[in-house]
């Protein structure tokens, strides 16, 4: 994860979503993916909270040292964007920015309920579509997004 990497384009973000698709997603997969994210965060001493939801059920949650209750609120707001739009929270925000506006200005949704900030990524299963979201909160939004993408890449490479 290079911090000096350029900001991804909408096309690059859409390509991530097309590529990061699961053959299936079980409770055990949620535990393994969540544990991988926790391991990555510990290695980086990242003060994050990690959350995985599937079909309205929380399957994994962890709060690492330095995270705060606010991170849980951000997780819920970013996850709701994924659930509503079926796309990564960062991608939804990037699409608005590409049109010269912001999510807050043009979505007409309550910003206390929805946040199109990076860190929540759809859990997409082949043949089923988006069935949940994996979310990280605690770093700047692009770093949250990149941490989730890196974990998904590593996890899916093992399958």
């Amino acid at each position: 994860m290079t911090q000096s990497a350029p900001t991804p384009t909408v096309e690059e973000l859409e390509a991530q979503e097309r590529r990061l698709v699961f053959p299936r997603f079980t409770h055990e997969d949620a535990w393994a993916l969540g544990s991988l994210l926790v391991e990555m965060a510990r290695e980086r001493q990242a003060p994050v909270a990690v959350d995985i939801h599937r079909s309205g059920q929380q399957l994994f949650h962890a709060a690492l040292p330095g995270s705060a209750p606010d991170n849980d609120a951000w997780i819920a707001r970013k996850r709701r964007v994924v659930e509503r739009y079926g796309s990564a929270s960062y991608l939804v925000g990037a699409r608005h920015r590409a049109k010269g506006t912001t999510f807050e200005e043009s979505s007409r949704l309550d910003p206390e309920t929805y946040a199109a900030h990076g860190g929540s990524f759809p859990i997409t299963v082949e043949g089923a579509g988006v069935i949940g979201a994996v979310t990280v909160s605690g770093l700047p939004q692009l770093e949250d997004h990149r941490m989730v993408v890196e974990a998904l890449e590593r996890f899916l490479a093992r399958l």
Side-chain angles (χ1 to χ4, degrees):
M1 193 164 78
T2 336
Q3 291 182 355
S4 62
T7 302
T9 65
V10 168
E11 294 74 23
E12 290 167 331
L13 295 166
E14 289 171 343
Q16 289 174 345
E17 288 191 359
R18 286 190 301 273
R19 188 170 35 87
L20 299 172
V21 175
F22 290 81
R24 49 132 178 70
F25 194 79
T26 66
H27 286 76
E28 292 77 19
D29 293 326
W31 178 261
L33 177 58
S35 298
L36 173 61
L37 275 160
V38 167
E39 177 186 318
M40 290 168 57
R42 283 185 175 146
E43 287 170 3
R44 299 165 191 189
Q45 299 181 332
V48 298
V50 176
D51 184 88
I52 299 175
H53 266 69
R54 183 189 70 187
S55 303
Q57 182 183 20
Q58 184 178 55
L59 300 183
F60 186 93
H61 187 86
L64 279 79
S67 66
D70 258 3
N71 296 120
D72 293 334
W74 276 100
I75 282 170
R77 292 166 60 215
K78 293 189 281 189
R79 186 187 72 247
R80 285 188 199 105
V81 167
V82 173
E83 291 167 348
R84 184 174 185 112
Y85 292 91
S87 291
S89 54
Y90 190 79
L91 172 56
V92 172
R95 285 177 174 150
H96 284 85
R97 288 187 296 276
K99 294 177 185 171
T101 184
T102 66
F103 175 79
E104 294 76 14
E105 291 170 356
S106 59
S107 73
R108 305 172 100 192
L109 296 171
D110 181 358
E112 294 299 314
T113 305
Y114 295 91
H117 292 259
S120 192
F121 201 94
I123 296 170
T124 304
V125 173
E126 293 170 12
V130 176
I131 56 123
V134 52
T135 311
V136 168
S137 177
L139 303 171
Q141 66 168 328
L142 184 53
E143 291 180 45
D144 279 347
H145 174 81
R146 286 181 172 147
M147 180 177 272
V148 172
V149 168
E150 180 184 343
L152 288 168
E153 289 170 341
R154 288 164 80 179
F155 184 84
L156 288 166
R158 298 176 184 170
L159 297 181

